Amino acid sequence: MQEPAASGRTVWTMLVASAVSVGALVAQPPETENRQSVPQETETASRGVRSFVTDESISFSYNDGRREVTLVATDHVLVRSKSGRYELVQLPEGVVRSRSSVSRSSDEMSEIPVFQSDGGNIQAPVGGVLIHFQDGWSEDQAGRFFEEQGLDEAVEPLDWADLGYLIHTVPGVFAIELANRLAGLPGVKAVEPNFWQLRVSR
């Protein structure tokens, strides 16, 4: 899992009316023995992966606290092995994808869509939303916030940030959508999807 690139990113909050429909997609926190710490070190793709053709018709966006970041789907997916490591896999040439198929791919095929941001980063939403509350908020206020949003059973405090939490979700586009729903709610200082990012060896 990735540490937020900027601690001041806008935090996204979900409307109470959306809590019922969102609840089914929020994963319960994993068992303690399988729980991973946040942030998780990024991994390097295999040397054979070189091209990242994008499909401008399949895009999503989120607010990083300074501007709207656009993510465009690429011709790759991220697959997690049984050992827990991620591997970039190029889709077969000629595969036709739609926005809806990208949105549900991680649920149906255990393949996480890979995006290229308008800043040139290659990244994939591996599950989870990182949220930080404003200075002056208490843990009790944060707890009430999560209860109101129906997220209290899917939250884990971050050990590297005061009033920072990881909301566990399924991998894929849902994490981006949840982060956008939470953005701008009272008390939220920063929020972003938990991204895996490509790190290239030099």
Side-chain angles (χ1 to χ4, degrees):
M1 296 183 177
Q2 303 303 314
E3 182 175 353
S7 60
R9 288 187 175 177
T10 304
V11 184
W12 296 301
T13 2
M14 175 177 61
L15 299 176
V16 177
S18 302
V20 175
S21 61
V22 167
L25 291 175
V26 176
Q28 296 301 316
E31 297 297 327
T32 304
E33 67 220 31
N34 295 328
R35 183 169 296 181
Q36 296 180 342
S37 61
V38 179
Q40 176 185 350
E41 185 177 343
T42 57
E43 299 172 40
T44 304
S46 63
R47 295 182 182 180
V49 176
R50 298 188 180 276
S51 67
F52 289 90
V53 177
T54 58
D55 186 338
E56 297 290 341
S57 67
I58 305 176
S59 63
F60 299 84
S61 63
Y62 70 96
N63 189 334
D64 72 353
R66 297 164 297 177
R67 65 185 185 88
E68 195 80 2
V69 177
T70 300
L71 302 172
V72 181
T74 71
D75 61 349
H76 287 70
V77 291
L78 196 66
V79 178
R80 190 170 185 177
S81 67
K82 292 182 179 179
S83 66
R85 291 188 62 83
Y86 292 111
E87 180 182 359
L88 276 173
V89 177
Q90 188 166 10
L91 294 169
E93 189 173 348
V95 169
V96 177
R97 294 194 297 169
S98 65
R99 183 183 172 94
S100 62
S101 69
V102 169
S103 295
R104 63 176 184 267
S105 62
S106 58
D107 292 330
E108 296 183 352
M109 300 180 292
S110 299
E111 296 176 349
I112 304 168
V114 173
F115 298 93
Q116 183 171 31
S117 74
D118 52 15
N121 295 324
I122 299 297
Q123 53 197 58
V126 292
V129 171
L130 301 169
I131 184 169
H132 302 265
F133 291 101
Q134 293 175 355
D135 297 339
W137 264 48
S138 66
E139 291 184 4
D140 287 342
Q141 286 176 296
R144 285 195 296 273
F145 174 92
F146 291 127
E147 287 179 5
E148 290 171 357
Q149 307 308 319
L151 300 170
D152 50 309
E153 294 185 5
V155 175
E156 175 184 357
L158 299 175
D159 56 11
W160 47 267
D162 292 335
L163 287 177
Y165 299 84
L166 171 66
I167 303 170
H168 291 278
T169 74
V170 295
V173 171
F174 173 71
I176 300 172
E177 295 172 340
L178 175 60
N180 280 330
R181 291 190 192 104
L182 298 176
L185 288 184
V188 175
K189 179 180 180 181
V191 63
E192 68 171 332
N194 182 46
F195 285 119
W196 170 95
Q197 292 186 343
L198 175 64
R199 185 179 63 191
V200 179
S201 299
R202 296 184 178 181

